[in-house]
Amino acid sequence: MSLWTSLEPASATVDPGGSTTVRLRLRNTGDVVDEYRFEAVGPVAPWTTVEPPSLRLYPGTTGTVELTFVPPRTPDATAGPNPYAVRITPTEHPEAVTVPEGNLTITPFTEVRAELVPPTVKGRFRGRPRLAVDNLGNTKVTASVSGSDNGDQLSYDIRPGNVQIEPGRAAFVKATLKPRKIIWFGAKEQRPYTLSVQRSGANPLPVEGTYLQRGFLPRWLATFFGVFLALGITFTMLWIAYKPNVGSGATERVAEAAGTLAPAPSPTPQAPKAPSADALAPPAATPTQQAGGAGTGTGKGDGDGAGAGGGGSEEKKEDKAPEKTAATVVQQRAAQEPDKRHICYRIYVAGEGWSDVACDGETAGTPGSGKPTTAVNVAVFGTKGTTSGAFVYNPASTDGTGKYFDPWSTAADGVDNYAGSTEKGAPHMLGFSINVDNGAGAVCQTSYVHNGTWLGMVCDNPGQGLTFTYVGTHDNNLWIEAVRLTV
């Protein structure tokens, strides 16, 4: 081997969002002038830059190359030791590749976000909100969830009460709220409540919501029953107090019968009256008749088709082709391969519209286009449907991350599921959460992030309680430009 290398230091530590530099020293121990090209490899290669990318050395001379590591403050920067390596390829002897290895330790950080879906629930006897807990840090999070409210007006049934969330994943906690008192009559009442996410050694993370309790019967119905009862009592009292005057009508009926049986007098014959002059005059013509008895209507058209109601010929309207959505494509694939599971998808690019539909690991979108995405359309077959929610740009953000876009949507097999918005001026989408089979099935994903590269393929794990996977990034200044999904 005609090359000597040394990493200084061989092990380094860096905080997510920060940077650190390692020097690579190398000496040409051969007898010819050679040029060396450098390439970072390993899991931290996307966050590694090598300066200069190539170096020319004379025999016996030494050069220095700087490796700069800038891991992002996202779940992708896995906490703990991460091996890395630099591939050195000499120009004169490309087969004599040298790969010095080192170790980069990324410090852990914890960031948890929780959101109620929906924030307001309605019901007479119970409400069923869901709490979405996102782990935006780079270490596993264990937390418990509890509920409380002012005045102890509600009882809480929270399942599961404890969750373990891997970095970059989300867990959903189902809560059932039950009022301690039922409103039988009257208007609805608001009952504010709080679900708290508690982690060991950290302050509780409160999430506030509202339970809108409805009355069992509306107020107008209670008023109607009151009025009806009062009228019933009044009618009963009047019926009791009224005494009808009853008499016999036998005498009157006998007199009527006698009058009916008596013979009627014969009428005196009279001479018939002569008809008047008006009766002998011919009847006047009606407004709808002409001389000779012809009507004024034009019920039939002429030979050219210009009858009553006949106008110019109607122009044919061209049939508009139906939109090719994710659902139409996944149904076609299901017809061709009914024994397999399928997922089809497309993304909405601001100012351009929907991308072509891609399926089963194909690329939807244009990596490196720089154009923001505002919505995603997904449809599946063989997975009992999908549930999805968009994470979008937040102009009021104080921590550099976006926010979830309400409401979350659910769709059955073969039906389009949309997350985000296609309206003009809609916020760009940093990413989105998705699950299949109501959280019981696995879905895998990777995405291309603006000003970045393809992120690693990640799958959820329903067997360990990881019922959702998150596609994209949480950085408020980035967005996804392309995605690949498989089931």
Side-chain angles (χ1 to χ4, degrees), residues 10-35:
S11 297
T13 302
V14 63
D15 296 328
S19 64
T20 188
T21 302
V22 173
R23 290 185 177 181
L24 171 63
R25 297 182 60 199
L26 64 161
R27 180 185 298 118
N28 184 356
T29 58
D31 53 2
V32 296
V33 178
D34 209 340
E35 183 177 4

Side-chain angles (χ1 to χ4, degrees), residues 124-162:
R124 292 180 174 85
F125 303 108
R126 62 182 57 85
R128 292 190 175 93
R130 292 195 301 171
L131 181 67
V133 184
D134 292 314
N135 182 3
L136 307 182
N138 62 354
T139 58
K140 181 187 293 186
V141 168
T142 301
S144 61
V145 181
S146 60
S148 62
D149 62 275
N150 294 330
D152 195 24
Q153 298 175 336
L154 303 173
S155 63
Y156 303 86
D157 182 14
I158 299 175
R159 297 182 183 179
N162 297 280

Side-chain angles (χ1 to χ4, degrees), residues 157-193:
D157 182 14
I158 299 175
R159 297 182 183 179
N162 297 280
V163 292
Q164 285 189 345
I165 313 173
E166 295 292 333
R169 301 296 181 87
F172 275 78
V173 177
K174 296 181 180 179
T176 301
L177 314 177
K178 294 183 179 180
R180 300 189 185 276
K181 294 182 180 180
I182 297 176
I183 303 175
W184 294 105
F185 295 97
K188 53 191 176 184
E189 295 184 7
Q190 291 187 355
R191 308 209 183 276
Y193 68 94

